[in-house]
Amino acid sequence: MKTRLHLFLLLLFSSSLIIAQQPKKPTASDIHESIKKLNFLGSVLYVAAHPDDENTRLISYMSNEVKARTAYLSLTRGDGGQNLIGPEIRELLGVIRTQELLAARRTDGGEQLFTRANDFGYSKHPDETLAIWNKEQVLNDVVLAIRKFKPDVIINRFNHRTPGTTHGHHTSSAMLSIEAFDLVGDKNAYSNQLSTVDTWQPKRLFFNTGWWFYGSRENFEKADKSDLIQVDTGVYFPSNGLSNPEIAALSRSQHKSQGFGSTGRRGSQIEYIELIKGDLPTDKSNVFEGIDTSWNRIEGGKAIGEILYEVQNNFDFKNPSASIPQLARAYNAIQGLKDTHWKTLKTKEIKDIIAACAGLYLEVTANTNHTTAGATVNLNLEVINRSNANITLLNITDPNGLMIDKNLKLDNNTGFDFKETLEISDSQIVSTPYWLTKKGSLGMYMVEDKNLIGKPETPRALNVTFNLNIENVAIPFTKPIVYKTNDPVKGEVYKPFEIIPEASAKISEKVIILDTDKQRDIEVIVQAGRDNLEGFVQIAHPNNWSVYPEKQKVNITNKGQEQRLVFTVIPPKEQSEGLLTPMVHIGDKTYTKELIEIDYDHIPFQTVLLPSESKIVRLDIQKRGENIGYIEGAGDVVPESLRQIGYNVAILKPEDITQDNLKRFDAIVVGIRAYNTIEALNFKQQILFDYVAQGGNMVVQYNTRHRVKVDQIAPFDLKLSRDRVTDENADVKLLATDHEVLNFPNKITSKDFDGWTQERGLYFPNEWSSEFTPILSMSDNGETQKTGSLLVAAHGKGHYVYTGLSFFREFPAGVSGAYRLFANMLSLGKNNINTDKKFND
């Protein structure tokens, strides 16, 4: 699946590499806007904590109206968020959200930067955040990002002065940005960086404020605004028929995994930025006041500017190629600049403009979307000049450095196709997100190659360079190898060309729960990365478990095919847990990673290699009832997890929710955020409540308090809040110790809350009617006890349960106590005694 951004935005030549996207096809108006940007030498860096924190209105305005080079520095990749479009969480969600940010930047014209900070989940205070992140390493990365990007202006999204009032990551991002502002110009600060970057001093640092930071519009109206700059970001761009807020909404809507689809607005829209450091401009509409943003800014730039301002003023919209001779002269002059920073940036920009003016199309496609080190791949190279410019293809350089001489004059609209073969080096590393190649910590990714720190994705390793002579100036154009195919429905589809291992493997189930000591068959799936794969597979397992046979042969004829092997696992008699890892032995090499593919319409196809591990648990668990109806919410794996412990789980669509259909189920479970995402449930709630009253059991998992699409969440009064307990090790007190849910069929104790991951729970109710019984109490350090994590109410003959406990995170982690407690919730009312009866230990 691949989305096509047919939006002729003002900035079509983003400096980010477009990977596996259809080639951009700019109009004359797009080219002219890019020339304007070429002639602006100023930069803005926007700083916040997560994907979707950025203000796309301000980023788009700075890039498309001001023409400044604009980037968003997101300290994390958003791994700790929730996923509304699929089952991916943690590292895989971080990959998705990284690509959503890149899609957003392609839309609003910005660039994207990161640090090594890992989004470990919600944090209530920056002290906690910076302790888990490793403050010195993240500050190092912020300083490095500023020194590399060299912004004149920095804009923080969040307020550094209000720790503890919002997400700790948010406040930390502002605090680190302010600290870095004073360090980046000091040669004694992080001096180890100075072998690759220079010191730098931004001119100003702002805080992107608004009325909400003041508590109300009334407070904001009364506030002192002497240090505030007011920017109207509601400008309209006739060249593409869009207002800036409309572009910003399209950018914002790329954050689909978080449900941030946005409707474009038109008309004036004011943004406020408050000066934090530096001098306040006297012209409060110009953040670049006092900064030379012309070509005169750099030594040798005046002569280049004289050429390029003339190109801009005399641009021929009917014949953009008329500008090529002057552009080629300017390109040649740029190569002589002493300022390597601006030389690198402006070389990239002007090359893209020259190619666009010439209608130059250069593409390298492979006959496969992936291969292995040491393989040979067939390439097709397409070259065409669609202008009267004097262009000659001198030669082509392949990834191995081999130069293929051509010396072909590229006449107007005469296409050339070349067939070549490429031998992949035996030492070529596999394609995967660089920050996932080594195991990091809870708060930090480990990146061994320091040159990669801050980059949004792993640079393409396999590129082809077309060396051209354009108007007597030698200009190289480097293109990544891609895979292109024709889909009968979608037409032209692109994927990145990836290097994968010759073998990868996974166990078909990520969590394997055994509720007895009986043996269990498991399936190992081996995938071949090349033809004629031969070897054997073993399974690494805990010492007190047994697996047989010890090994099995692998024999796969064709690349891409899979072989499925069945092993038998024998658990211990006592409760136990551990990891199973398939190990594929091919010759003298052993492969222990799983190849994961992420395929969504709005982002490029992603290939990820992660350690192949499955959690295996010998669990002491009892349950009552067999048939569960599950109403899916926002992409969780709870149904699969319930099947693991022996339930028959049927997925229910809204149209399946009828009185007759519900009678066959022992319990109905509502998935996470279902009431935030499925409007049709508003018309089914009474049917569900009637099911409970007639003796059914209904378990509702967490929803956010905003955008609730049902009028009534529960049969009794229940009010959601933002209460949450983020410490996964927080003490849990059992309040209703005699309640059935803590006693039947499994005795729940505090030990059942050991080993939880990322958090205890989120968005707990904070008000409820007397019909509900609060079961648990918990809190983060220094906070009041929260008693809304698990609420149970009898309703007629049945039971209604609302829980904000994070079962959707605990089940994939194989947390034993989470399974035992959930089984009790599903078993309510099935003990054949009155719910109010006391249970004895």
Side-chain angles (χ1 to χ4, degrees):
M1 297 180 287
K2 200 68 57 196
T3 191
R4 305 292 181 245
L5 297 178
H6 290 305
L7 299 170
F8 293 122
L9 303 179
L10 292 178
L11 182 63
L12 277 153
F13 308 120
S14 170
S15 59
S16 298
L17 179 63
I18 306 300
I19 295 176
Q21 297 289 113
Q22 265 194 347
K24 295 287 188 180
K25 298 166 185 176
T27 66
S29 292
D30 301 323
I31 297 170
H32 188 240
E33 296 299 328
S34 295
I35 294 170
K36 291 180 185 177
K37 194 175 186 73
L38 179 67
N39 285 331
F40 190 96
L41 280 70
S43 303
V44 176
L45 182 65
Y46 199 88
V47 180
H50 309 107
D52 72 44
D53 283 345
E54 79 273 27
N55 184 338
T56 55
R57 295 182 302 275
L58 203 50
I59 290 174
S60 179
Y61 176 85
M62 290 296 174
S63 178
N64 296 319
E65 172 66 10
V66 180
K67 304 302 183 192
R69 183 185 180 219
T70 308
Y72 173 41
L73 173 60
S74 176
L75 268 58
T76 77
R77 295 176 185 269
D79 316 68
Q82 289 85 49
N83 186 358
L84 296 185
I85 62 174
E88 297 88 355
I89 58 174
R90 291 304 308 152
E91 292 88 352
L92 295 179
L93 178 58
V95 173
I96 290 172
R97 298 189 74 186
T98 293
Q99 291 299 322
E100 288 180 335
L101 273 175
L102 289 171
R105 300 294 79 78
R106 288 192 290 270
T107 304
D108 60 33
E111 300 176 37
Q112 186 60 52
L113 307 173
F114 291 97
T115 75
R116 289 170 291 173
N118 190 345
D119 178 5
F120 56 83
Y122 193 87
S123 175
K124 294 182 176 179
H125 199 280
D127 289 349
E128 177 197 41
T129 298
L130 296 174
I132 294 175
W133 270 357
N134 186 329
K135 177 188 173 182
E136 279 305 305
Q137 288 187 15
V138 183
L139 181 58
N140 171 90
D141 294 359
V142 176
V143 169
L144 181 62
I146 295 172
R147 285 174 171 174
K148 281 184 175 180
F149 191 76
K150 297 186 183 298
D152 300 300
V153 175
I154 297 176
I155 303 174
N156 290 343
R157 183 61 179 127
F158 297 107
N159 192 348
H160 65 288
R161 297 161 293 200
T162 54
T165 61
T166 183
H167 199 319
H169 297 183
H170 292 170
T171 310
S172 295
S173 70
M175 293 168 62
L176 291 170
S177 174
I178 287 172
E179 191 168 348
F181 186 90
D182 293 330
L183 294 174
V184 292
D186 182 356
K187 65 181 180 180
N188 295 314
Y190 300 102
S191 57
N192 60 307
Q193 298 177 359
L194 300 181
S195 61
T196 57
V197 295
D198 298 323
T199 57
W200 177 254
Q201 187 55 60
K203 181 78 168 176
R204 302 179 179 101
L205 186 148
F206 295 96
F207 159 46
N208 185 191
T209 189
W211 66 264
W212 50 90
F213 288 104
Y214 291 77
S216 68
R217 293 184 186 275
E218 182 180 3
N219 290 343
F220 183 61
E221 290 300 321
K222 297 177 182 177
D224 178 11
K225 300 184 181 63
S226 58
D227 284 345
L228 267 60
I229 288 181
Q230 180 175 309
V231 179
D232 188 350
T233 62
V235 294
Y236 173 68
F237 302 121
S239 60
N240 64 5
L242 292 172
S243 69
N244 187 69
E246 287 174 311
I247 294 174
L250 292 168
S251 174
R252 183 77 170 164
S253 297
Q254 298 306 314
H255 296 297
K256 299 183 189 302
S257 66
Q258 303 303 293
F260 282 147
S262 181
T263 300
R265 293 176 56 188
R266 287 146 295 280
S268 177
Q269 193 162 350
I270 304 300
E271 289 288 340
Y272 296 91
I273 54 175
E274 176 188 354
L275 183 72
I276 302 298
K277 285 182 176 289
D279 61 303
L280 185 68
T282 55
D283 178 359
K284 291 194 175 183
S285 65
N286 180 15
V287 299
F288 285 98
E289 183 186 77
I291 302 169
D292 189 350
T293 58
S294 73
W295 279 99
N296 294 333
R297 168 175 199 156
I298 54 178
E299 182 182 349
K302 181 179 180 181
I304 297 171
E306 289 174 353
I307 299 171
L308 291 177
Y309 295 134
E310 184 179 349
V311 170
Q312 177 180 325
N313 295 332
N314 298 317
F315 184 74
D316 187 343
F317 286 84
K318 293 184 178 180
N319 181 23
S321 64
S323 298
I324 291 177
Q326 289 173 291
L327 288 168
R329 282 178 53 215
Y331 168 86
N332 204 34
I334 289 171
Q335 304 320 296
L337 290 175
K338 295 179 181 179
D339 189 318
T340 57
H341 174 72
W342 286 112
K343 173 183 174 180
T344 301
L345 296 176
K346 294 306 177 181
T347 293
K348 173 66 174 65
E349 288 182 40
I350 198 168
K351 282 169 64 174
D352 287 340
I353 292 170
I354 290 170
C357 287
L360 191 61
Y361 191 89
L362 306 171
E363 184 174 79
V364 189
T365 57
N367 63 338
T368 178
N369 70 308
H370 55 69
T371 192
T372 57
T376 298
V377 178
N378 294 323
L379 301 179
N380 183 76
L381 294 80
E382 181 180 354
V383 180
I384 187 169
N385 165 30
R386 291 171 288 185
S387 74
N388 290 318
N390 181 20
I391 302 178
T392 299
L393 173 61
L394 301 175
N395 52 61
I396 298 170
T397 307
D398 77 6
N400 295 322
L402 178 65
M403 185 173 290
I404 305 163
D405 288 328
K406 293 299 179 183
N407 290 312
L408 288 173
K409 188 169 189 315
L410 303 181
D411 293 326
N412 187 358
N413 217 27
T414 301
F416 295 90
D417 289 286
F418 308 113
K419 307 293 183 184
E420 303 291 346
T421 58
L422 173 65
E423 294 183 1
I424 308 296
S425 168
D426 290 333
S427 60
Q428 182 63 52
I429 62 172
V430 295
S431 306
T432 196
Y434 70 85
W435 61 94
L436 299 178
T437 57
K438 297 290 183 181
K439 185 174 179 61
S441 64
L442 173 64
M444 297 297 296
Y445 283 118
M446 179 182 290
V447 180
E448 290 185 333
D449 185 350
K450 304 308 180 187
N451 293 319
L452 294 175
I453 293 174
K455 292 184 181 296
E457 55 190 339
T458 307
R460 294 287 105 182
L462 298 174
N463 303 290
V464 169
T465 298
F466 299 83
N467 293 297
L468 304 181
N469 183 296
I470 301 177
E471 298 294 342
N472 297 315
V473 176
I475 306 178
F477 291 85
T478 299
K479 298 291 182 179
I481 299 173
V482 296
Y483 174 68
K484 180 172 70 174
T485 188
N486 183 70
D487 183 274
V489 175
K490 300 175 183 177
E492 196 173 57
V493 175
Y494 282 78
K495 287 184 179 181
F497 176 65
E498 307 279 35
I499 304 300
I500 64 172
E502 60 179 342
S504 58
K506 64 180 179 180
I507 295 173
S508 57
E509 298 166 295
K510 282 299 176 188
V511 178
I512 302 168
I513 306 293
L514 290 85
D515 56 1
T516 71
D517 60 359
K518 293 181 180 179
Q519 66 185 38
R520 163 88 175 270
D521 288 343
I522 63 170
E523 185 179 58
V524 175
I525 303 170
V526 181
Q527 182 175 335
R530 63 169 174 82
D531 294 339
N532 302 315
L533 188 75
E534 293 185 7
F536 66 92
V537 178
Q538 291 179 299
I539 297 181
H541 56 83
N543 290 333
N544 57 339
W545 295 68
S546 298
V547 176
Y548 73 87
E550 181 182 346
K551 60 183 178 181
Q552 295 192 54
K553 289 184 178 180
V554 171
N555 194 329
I556 304 176
T557 303
N558 297 314
K559 179 180 75 171
Q561 287 186 330
E562 296 178 344
Q563 183 176 348
R564 295 171 181 260
L565 304 169
V566 177
F567 289 81
T568 300
V569 176
I570 303 174
K573 293 187 179 298
E574 68 280 2
Q575 185 161 308
S576 175
E577 61 184 54
L579 296 175
L580 299 179
T581 296
M583 301 183 297
V584 186
H585 301 273
I586 308 296
D588 60 354
K589 296 180 180 179
T590 301
Y591 299 92
T592 59
K593 291 195 173 182
E594 174 185 357
L595 183 68
I596 302 165
E597 295 178 338
I598 300 176
D599 196 1
Y600 289 103
D601 281 348
H602 65 299
I603 59 175
F605 186 91
Q606 297 294 298
T607 300
V608 184
L609 280 170
L610 290 178
S612 184
E613 296 176 340
S614 289
K615 182 80 171 284
I616 190 160
V617 180
R618 163 70 172 93
L619 177 60
D620 179 14
I621 187 171
Q622 302 294 321
K623 62 184 187 299
R624 297 294 184 271
E626 296 181 355
N627 300 312
I628 307 297
Y630 197 92
I631 302 168
E632 289 185 306
D636 61 68
V637 295
V638 172
E640 292 86 345
S641 301
L642 296 179
R643 294 184 183 111
Q644 280 281 351
I645 56 175
Y647 285 106
N648 299 318
V649 181
I651 302 300
L652 298 179
K653 303 293 184 184
E655 58 268 24
D656 300 326
I657 301 173
T658 64
Q659 289 183 345
D660 289 340
N661 198 25
L662 296 187
K663 291 178 181 178
R664 61 192 176 100
F665 296 112
D666 296 299
I668 300 296
V669 180
V670 181
I672 61 173
R673 297 185 69 174
Y675 292 150
N676 297 132
T677 57
I678 307 174
E679 291 188 19
L681 289 180
N682 192 38
F683 309 106
K684 299 294 183 177
Q685 283 293 83
Q686 191 57 52
I687 296 174
L688 291 167
F689 296 157
D690 291 343
Y691 160 80
V692 175
Q694 293 163 12
N697 193 358
M698 182 178 177
V699 177
V700 178
Q701 298 174 88
Y702 96 93
N703 292 269
T704 65
R705 66 177 181 172
H706 295 295
R707 301 181 181 177
V708 175
K709 298 183 182 299
V710 297
D711 297 329
Q712 192 175 0
I713 288 178
F716 309 109
D717 289 341
L718 183 74
K719 184 177 180 180
L720 302 181
S721 74
R722 294 183 60 86
D723 287 351
R724 61 202 303 162
V725 175
T726 62
D727 182 358
E728 63 269 32
N729 299 310
D731 288 339
V732 177
K733 298 177 183 178
L734 309 183
L735 298 178
T737 55
D738 294 330
H739 197 284
E740 179 182 3
V741 78
L742 294 180
N743 293 276
F744 180 83
N746 304 288
K747 180 67 175 178
I748 302 299
T749 71
S750 59
K751 290 185 178 180
D752 287 295
F753 294 93
D754 291 346
W756 282 50
T757 182
Q758 185 161 326
E759 60 198 349
R760 288 298 190 197
L762 61 171
Y763 296 106
F764 300 159
N766 63 350
E767 294 181 24
W768 50 83
S769 66
S770 60
E771 287 84 356
F772 283 103
T773 299
I775 306 299
L776 307 171
S777 175
M778 60 190 73
S779 71
D780 283 318
N781 186 38
E783 294 192 355
T784 59
Q785 289 290 310
K786 306 297 187 293
T787 58
S789 64
L790 178 57
L791 302 171
V792 182
H795 179 50
K797 299 177 181 179
H799 297 84
Y800 176 94
V801 179
Y802 188 92
T803 179
L805 294 171
S806 59
F807 290 102
F808 73 103
R809 295 198 190 280
E810 312 317 318
F811 286 168
V815 177
S816 301
Y819 280 92
R820 286 163 46 83
L821 178 56
F822 210 93
N824 280 16
M825 290 156 53
L826 296 175
S827 301
L828 279 168
K830 297 177 175 60
N831 60 332
N832 298 320
I833 61 174
N834 191 286
T835 303
D836 295 329
K837 182 176 178 179
K838 301 293 184 181
F839 282 82
N840 297 317
D841 292 342

